[in-house]
Amino acid sequence: MKGSVRPDEKPAKWRFAIDQGGTFTDVIGLDPEGGLQATKLLSSSPEYPSAAIEGIRRVLGLPPGIPLPADRIEGIRFGTTVATNALLERKGGRVGLLITEGFADLLEIGYQSRPEIFGLCIQKPGVLYDVVFEVKERINAEGEVVTSLGRESLHSILEQLKKADLDAVAVVCLHAWRNPVHEKEIGACLRQAGFPNIYLSHETMNRIKIVGRGQSTVVDAYLSPVIRRHLAEIRKATGEIPIEFMLSSGGLAPPDLFRGKDALLSGPAGGVVAVAEVARLVGAAGVIGFDMGGTSTDVSRFDGDFERIDETTIGGVELSTEMLNIMTVASGGGSVLWFDGQKMRVGPESAGADPGPACYGFGGPLTVTDANLITGRIVMEVFPKTFGADRKSGPDPEEAERSFRAMTEQVNRALNRNLSVQETALGFLRIADEKMALAIKEISVSRGVDVRDYALVCFGGAGGQHACRVATLLEIDRVVFHPLSSLMSAYGIGLARPAIQAEKTLLQPYSPECHETLKSLFREMEKDLPAAHPDSAPYSLHRWLDLRQAGTENYITVRFGEFDETVASFQERYARIFGFAPDPGVLEVVNVRLEAAEQREFFPPRPGVPVDKKGRAEAVYSQILHNEEGPVDAPVYLREGLPAGTRIQGPAFVVDSHTTFLVEVGFQAEVLDGGIVVAERIARHKVPAPAPAKRADPVLLEIFNNLFMSVASDMGHTLRNTAHSVNIKERLDFSCAVFDAVGGLIANAPHIPVHLGSMADTVKAILSDRKGR
């Protein structure tokens, strides 16, 4: 797979990019003529053992059981959920942990975060290691040896480890990021004793903060047997065909460098890479990625640079690993719709791929997809026909309507309402849209961004049906619909560049003198990168600094340029995030980062999807669309039949073989070259208020519940970002809440609840004291 491919150059063989999601697996192949061929199939099916390999077979027209032909395939890229699923389901390997004496329970304690703040019975997630031993050693914060490694006790520990039947061993020493001498010695002893899978924390994540570094090391060790099995299965099917894997950071890795901690957001990261390319194609300075799949919705942001984060929590495990900033909300096409007796609710449970939504015909529950189907937001003719008893039928609207009729009767009986089936379905859709809009606000507010200045790029199988309404809630005026929108993550995996990263923690004042020293440090780091060797493919280098005000905890990542421009970039971003200019003072370098990204292209940076040059801007048929105002007849256009320059007034559908884009009332869509559709807002459209009723509206109750919670959460973001205290930043040891005019609690964010007991009395006392003033 070496060598650069120009955008106008045709590949000699097929190239494939695959995103295996929770519900669907997307496969895109670049054929020898330079065209893109795609297919979409269920991730789990009794018809085939591997959806990814089956998808390649279908694109190539191969019968089952035939090995993939190495003479026809140049390379395959995979985005996989195998690491995430293993972590969430606790199906990793047996791990032994060796840690500095006195810290055996450190990773179990973690940051003392409280995911269920009002839970009376706290159920902490279990640790990932099976056995833990304390090693006699100690290095101080300056990297000096305080207590030498106790080799005699270490040999005794190794004998006990041999009896534990472990798959891997993780070694975590205090301050190993500063001086890893003891970790290296322990690793050498483990290798000498015959342990094959050894993970040293300074090699896994050479960064300050032992909890995140330690958890990342244990996660890598825990997932190592899962990754090995997955690679063996892939290798069995692909043979000698070169393969690569998408990483959470947006880069790619060969099989020998594919690590579990780097693959936890593998598929969604591909979507962010594709969003960046779409931003370039449509000339947008900033875009919001809106990826609504079957299980959940992922939202991201791109405004010239990928935004990365270093700390995350997955499955109750707090770990440090570099990944693109992607926020997930449990509101996908398969999100279960339910009624709690007062409010209509969406998610967080998902119907998944099996049994899936009720309309799939496999006995599944009522979901967002069912609501879209019976309100006319899905065009049946283009929906994948992989359902029903024969697995070759389309979704069943009658089954969806039967389920909605039962749900509507339940709501009406409990609340003495007279809702119709369509009103119930529209209510659930409105709640889902609000939840997704709030997720987008969260990734923007927490970083000081006004989303009204951005365009919304919709993708995922369900994104096109919700995009215009979500944009309306956010006051975004531009929505972009790419020809590969339902397979965008797979397309991004094909666009991604192999990259090698290096980083080093410094913790020293940033000054002009330090800046010159960093130039030399970067040059030394570059020499150690494999990309620097003469036989490597052409690559580009990117340098970043993590800077912060001295004495504060949070840092901001900025590009490394000249000293003055680097400082100016930090100050501009600081003011944007925190809302005020930083106090003059000493800046501190926390980490330096280096990335070498290859220049070769796997997929062409263009849609690559055929468009009928002789097409006419005519609707092929129409479909009844149900809105709050009532049913309307909406025209349906085939995207591949629309010539560039075509303008379409909403409401209307633009469909292709994989998804549906609904141009809502108040929007006008224009077709660009390559089949990209951009919908611009031409009028403000508000959802009409429901008629007065004796009982509270079950839709508005849930919407305002989410809105008030969002206000409290946004307050928490601001407080956490601006605080100096480690207790506030890491343990969230504070409370933010919204109260009514008489001091009654309306909503509180998931912080520490102990303060709330006195906060209500404090608020009421202030209101009483200040009454009339």
Side-chain angles (χ1 to χ4, degrees), residues 655-720:
V655 303
D656 57 32
S657 57
H658 295 292
T659 191
T660 297
F661 178 49
L662 172 57
V663 184
E664 291 275 9
V665 176
F667 284 84
Q668 178 177 274
E670 181 178 2
V671 182
L672 307 183
D673 289 332
I676 295 177
V677 178
V678 177
E680 302 270 1
R681 185 192 311 280
I682 57 175
R684 299 286 173 183
H685 177 256
K686 292 185 177 181
V687 176
K694 295 180 180 179
R695 298 286 297 273
D697 184 271
V699 175
L700 292 181
L701 269 178
E702 177 65 4
I703 288 174
F704 278 101
N705 174 56
N706 291 330
L707 287 172
F708 287 132
M709 284 293 293
S710 174
V711 172
S713 296
D714 289 348
M715 288 194 290
H717 284 307
T718 303
L719 180 57
R720 187 182 186 188

Side-chain angles (χ1 to χ4, degrees), residues 714-730:
D714 289 348
M715 288 194 290
H717 284 307
T718 303
L719 180 57
R720 187 182 186 188
N721 285 340
T722 54
H724 287 214
S725 166
V726 175
N727 255 358
I728 288 181
K729 289 190 174 298
E730 293 184 355

Side-chain angles (χ1 to χ4, degrees), residues 288-319:
I288 298 292
F290 172 62
D291 176 10
M292 186 176 179
T295 306
S296 61
T297 295
D298 297 320
V299 295
S300 58
R301 182 173 58 83
F302 178 81
D303 53 7
D305 277 324
F306 291 114
E307 184 180 11
R308 292 181 169 93
I309 56 174
D310 300 313
E311 297 178 345
T312 189
T313 300
I314 298 178
V317 179
E318 300 166 319
L319 68 153

